[in-house]
């Protein structure tokens, strides 16, 4: 069974304090790894798709990287508006998305 | 462009009742997936439909069913509601069903009393 584990569960940062979120996975044939951002009470918002080890994607203060066993989401110089829950999901050979429980990031001004 | 839309936004039901949730995908998207998200957890896959055919089913009981219409919109039905069915139900659409990025709607918040 596909498994996705995200750490830490929660992260409290000062504005400008860079940090990284981890997503480790076991999957039978990785088709893609996805990062989403979710604000309270809303649907997940797509951020990145990574397909192969060594791949990197960037968007504003966010950068996602992928290895054969895990992915990292780096947040550089975060602002309060970056506060959200960040979800990682993997897509295996059956094309279903399996999500982790998420990392809740709080950025204080 | 309009994103994925879902209705209703909120719903309160009692145990044993039945509920129907609706989803309209992004224009041009042919695949719709349904997820259940319990508070504090990530979304759990329920169904995926493509071109009106079921392409995948998660580990949910037969009380859960879905269908997709010719205009690619979709309905999720849940019969004999249990307290544990209280959750945020999310619909996601994608262009095709294999390896495509899924874009989520705002969800329907279901409370079962």
């Amino acid at each position: 069974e596909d498994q996705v584990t995200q750490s830490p569960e929660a992260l409290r940062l000062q504005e400008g304090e860079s940090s990284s979120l981890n997503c480790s996975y076991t999957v039978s044939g990785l088709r893609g790894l996805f990062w989403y951002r979710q604000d309270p009470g809303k649907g997940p918002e797509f951020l990145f798709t990574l397909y192969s080890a060594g791949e990197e994607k960037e968007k504003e203060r966010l950068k996602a990287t992928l290895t054969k066993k895990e992915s990292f989401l780096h947040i550089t110089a975060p602002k309060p508006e970056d506060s959200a829950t960040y979800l990682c999901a993997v897509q295996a050979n059956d094309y279903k998305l399996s999500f982790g429980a998420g990392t809740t990031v709080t950025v204080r001004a | 462009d309009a994103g994925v839309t879902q209705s209703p936004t909120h719903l309160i039901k009692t145990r044993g009742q039945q509920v129907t949730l609706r989803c309209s995908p992004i224009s041009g998207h042919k695949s719709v997936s349904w997820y259940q998200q319990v508070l504090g957890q990530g979304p759990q896959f329920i169904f995926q439909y493509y071109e009106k055919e079921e392409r995948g089913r998660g580990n949910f009981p037969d009380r859960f069913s879905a269908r997709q219409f010719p205009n690619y919109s979709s309905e999720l039905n849940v019969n004999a509601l249990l307290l544990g069915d209280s959750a945020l139900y999310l619909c996601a659409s994608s262009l095709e069903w294999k390896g495509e990025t899924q874009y989520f709607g705002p969800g329907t918040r279901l409370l079962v009393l």
Side-chain angles (χ1 to χ4, degrees):
Chain A
E1 186 175 319
D2 304 332
Q3 284 195 321
V4 181
T5 303
Q6 293 189 244
S7 62
E9 290 184 9
L11 192 60
R12 292 175 65 86
L13 301 172
Q14 198 68 33
E15 185 173 4
E17 178 188 1
S18 301
S19 189
S20 295
L21 284 56
N22 178 264
C23 171
S24 62
Y25 62 89
T26 54
V27 63
S28 54
L30 180 70
R31 292 282 178 177
L33 185 140
F34 301 81
W35 282 99
Y36 289 87
R37 168 196 169 122
Q38 186 173 30
D39 293 310
K42 297 189 177 181
E45 174 189 345
F46 170 71
L47 293 173
F48 304 108
T49 306
L50 301 167
Y51 291 106
S52 56
E55 191 174 359
E56 298 181 353
K57 293 271 181 77
E58 282 190 72
K59 178 181 180 181
E60 296 181 356
R61 295 176 293 282
L62 300 177
K63 178 180 178 180
T65 62
L66 181 64
T67 72
K68 288 187 177 180
K69 294 184 178 181
E70 58 191 350
S71 176
F72 292 93
L73 184 66
H74 308 278
I75 308 179
T76 302
K79 298 182 177 181
E81 53 262 43
D82 294 322
S83 297
T85 296
Y86 291 86
L87 295 166
C88 169
V90 296
Q91 188 174 62
N93 286 328
D94 58 6
Y95 301 105
K96 298 175 186 176
L97 276 185
S98 298
F99 281 84
T103 294
T104 299
V105 174
T106 304
V107 182
R108 297 167 291 175
Chain B
D1 286 342
V4 177
T5 59
Q6 293 185 243
S7 63
T9 55
H10 295 83
L11 206 52
I12 300 175
K13 292 285 188 179
T14 56
R15 281 179 297 175
Q17 285 189 312
Q18 175 265 341
V19 68
T20 298
L21 310 181
R22 295 176 176 82
C23 170
S24 292
I26 293 171
S27 177
H29 285 196
K30 299 178 181 178
S31 181
V32 169
S33 298
W34 287 95
Y35 294 83
Q36 181 195 67
Q37 187 175 26
V38 175
L39 199 62
Q41 297 182 18
Q44 296 292 313
F45 173 76
I46 310 175
F47 288 110
Q48 183 175 35
Y49 276 78
Y50 174 71
E51 294 280 12
K52 298 180 290 180
E53 297 288 331
E54 182 182 304
R55 296 290 182 167
R57 171 186 280 258
N59 295 324
F60 281 80
D62 291 343
R63 299 185 295 108
F64 289 77
S65 63
R67 56 179 175 169
Q68 186 178 32
F69 299 99
N71 67 353
Y72 304 112
S73 67
S74 178
E75 286 182 351
L76 175 70
N77 292 283
V78 187
N79 293 322
L81 285 167
L82 303 174
L83 296 180
D85 294 331
S86 296
L88 181 67
Y89 288 84
L90 295 162
C91 172
S93 76
S94 56
L95 278 170
E96 306 288 336
W97 72 281
K98 287 188 174 184
E100 296 284 338
T101 296
Q102 296 184 19
Y103 297 88
F104 285 82
T108 293
R109 174 72 64 186
L110 173 64
L111 178 61
V112 182
L113 301 176

